[in-house]
Amino acid sequence: MSTTLKNCIVTVSGLTAATVAAFLFYRYVSGNSGNISLIYILALVTIVRFTDGYLPGMIASVIAVVCVNYLFTYPYFELNFTLSGYPVSFLGMFGVTFLTSTMTANMKEQARTIAEKDKLLSETEKEKMRANLLRAVSHDLRTPLTGIIGASSSYLENPALLPEEEKIAIMTHIHEDANWLLNMVENLLAVTRIHDQSSTVKKTDESVEEIVSAAILRLKKRLPEAAVNVSVPDELLIIPMDAILIEQVLINLLENAIIHSQSKEPILCYVDDDNATVTFHVKDYGIGIDPERLGNIFDGNSYIGNKESDSKKGMGIGLSICKTILTAHGGTINARNHAQGAEFYFTLPKGETHHES
């Protein structure tokens, strides 16, 4: 529908409704005809609110004054522009319309400006996230690939000369790096899953206990020796989420804690419940996180414990993807140090569930 057609429909509809209401008011409320002007003023404000530009309101104000004069002022059904107070009524309606049009136009312009700024900010955030992910991918994929190529080359060049123990060590190294690459691919697929849904996720009611259990089982397949102590509330917690994505967040956090804490102590995974949110915690008892990195640890920079390195696998890409997943869920994720190590925790809202069709 064109803007002109919309303006005409709104203007005609508003004036028609005001005229009908004025006739009813004039007929059933005798001796109070002066309030009929207020009915038309209300119609003018409504017309200005739902039309574009100044012209519809100006035309409507002229028609409204003519209607009051012609239909509701004695002598009826005659135009009499010499009536006492008529210029005041005309100027009053015209002034109200002009001021309302100006204010509405300014508000609409401000709304458009804010929307453009929000869109620009959103695009900037997306570009920043893409840049961070590409930087993290370039590091975290290159490192295990280099290790696999180097280990396999050593094995292929001297298979007969290598002792059995060294062969097993080489194959173990290749196996670990291949698993790491698989984890990276799963993370990238998780981000693709979100972007395919326009940065939102379809949520279904899921049991928190089952999500935690599934994440631990998947972690055990990748790291059979991992030691994790789990604690969840006794009552059944059902909250809306994308189960696959939240499992991936838990796996990323648990795996980072096991690999980078440099501790043999079991990882603690527990869940808190309050009125509005459910909070998942992953707590390790290791070297902690450099305080200087806590502010930007989710930005996608590869990171290992208290230092950066180009020779080891970082946790940057996993944490960046965790933040992307939680943001798409309307949740938050944070990190902090405690007296004996580091703790990552994220919240999910208990809001309404949108079931998949």
Side-chain angles (χ1 to χ4, degrees):
M1 182 185 296
S2 66
T3 301
T4 302
L5 179 59
K6 186 194 83 169
N7 288 346
C8 290
I9 292 174
V10 172
T11 302
V12 172
S13 300
L15 290 173
T16 301
T19 302
V20 172
F23 266 117
L24 294 174
F25 186 87
Y26 188 78
R27 179 173 180 178
Y28 294 107
V29 184
S30 60
N32 202 10
S33 59
N35 288 332
I36 289 176
S37 297
L38 298 178
I39 296 176
Y40 278 97
I41 289 175
L42 178 61
L44 292 176
V45 172
T46 304
I47 290 169
V48 168
R49 170 63 180 82
F50 293 101
T51 56
D52 296 317
Y54 296 93
L55 188 58
M58 299 297 104
I59 294 175
S61 65
V62 173
I63 294 174
V65 172
V66 170
C67 286
V68 171
N69 182 283
Y70 185 77
L71 298 174
F72 303 104
T73 305
Y74 185 84
Y76 302 112
F77 303 108
E78 291 183 18
L79 289 175
N80 187 353
F81 296 104
T82 63
L83 293 173
S84 175
Y86 183 83
V88 176
S89 298
F90 178 81
L91 292 175
M93 285 191 177
F94 198 83
V96 168
T97 305
F98 180 77
L99 290 175
T100 306
S101 298
T102 303
M103 292 174 62
T104 303
N106 289 336
M107 290 174 63
K108 289 179 179 178
E109 183 61 31
Q110 290 177 5
R112 280 193 292 267
T113 301
I114 292 173
E116 290 175 0
K117 288 182 178 179
D118 288 343
K119 182 179 179 181
L120 180 61
L121 181 61
S122 176
E123 291 298 325
T124 301
E125 288 296 323
K126 288 181 180 179
E127 288 301 322
K128 180 180 178 182
M129 187 187 72
R130 291 191 190 102
N132 287 336
L133 286 175
L134 285 174
R135 183 168 62 250
V137 167
S138 67
H139 177 278
D140 282 1
L141 295 186
R142 182 179 68 246
T143 301
L145 281 173
T146 301
I148 289 174
I149 292 171
S152 59
S153 296
S154 299
Y155 186 89
L156 292 174
E157 289 173 0
N158 306 293
L161 300 177
L162 293 175
E164 192 65 25
E165 293 80 5
E166 190 168 344
K167 290 181 180 180
I168 293 175
I170 290 175
M171 296 308 297
T172 300
H173 182 69
I174 292 175
H175 178 74
E176 290 175 350
D177 282 343
N179 273 329
W180 184 266
L181 286 174
L182 176 61
N183 187 35
M184 290 299 100
V185 171
E186 289 177 349
N187 278 321
L188 293 175
L189 288 175
V191 171
T192 302
R193 180 184 175 92
I194 293 176
H195 289 321
D196 286 345
Q197 299 172 11
S198 303
S199 298
T200 60
V201 291
K202 291 184 178 180
K203 304 175 187 178
T204 55
D205 285 338
E206 302 289 347
S207 166
V208 169
E209 184 176 359
E210 290 182 4
I211 295 300
V212 173
S213 176
I216 297 297
L217 289 175
R218 287 177 59 190
L219 178 73
K220 287 286 189 177
K221 291 180 180 179
R222 186 174 299 161
L223 301 172
E225 303 301 320
V228 182
N229 294 331
V230 179
S231 175
V232 297
D234 294 333
E235 66 272 16
L236 180 63
L237 289 179
I238 303 291
I239 59 174
M241 69 174 81
D242 183 312
I244 295 175
L245 294 178
I246 297 304
E247 283 180 24
Q248 189 62 40
V249 171
L250 277 171
I251 290 170
N252 282 351
L253 298 181
L254 289 165
E255 187 170 288
N256 282 338
I258 292 167
I259 294 174
H260 299 294
S261 65
Q262 299 182 20
S263 172
K264 300 299 182 181
E265 294 291 324
I267 305 300
L268 176 59
C269 177
Y270 65 99
V271 177
D272 284 337
D273 173 34
D274 62 33
N275 293 330
T277 61
V278 172
T279 305
F280 297 74
H281 301 257
V282 174
K283 190 174 185 179
D284 67 57
Y285 298 89
I287 60 175
I289 304 169
D290 186 344
E292 294 182 359
R293 295 301 309 277
L294 284 174
N296 61 359
I297 196 170
F298 298 101
D299 290 347
N301 300 310
S302 293
Y303 176 72
I304 304 147
N306 284 310
K307 61 180 180 179
E308 290 183 80
S309 172
D310 195 50
S311 62
K312 297 181 181 180
K313 308 179 189 75
M315 66 171 70
I317 185 172
L319 294 181
S320 177
I321 290 171
C322 288
K323 182 178 180 179
T324 300
I325 292 172
L326 267 301
T327 300
H329 276 78
T332 60
I333 184 168
N334 293 282
R336 62 191 175 197
N337 287 318
H338 61 92
Q340 296 173 291
E343 179 180 3
F344 288 84
Y345 56 100
F346 65 90
T347 63
L348 288 175
K350 293 182 177 180
E352 296 181 1
T353 306
H354 302 283
H355 294 276
E356 294 183 63
S357 57

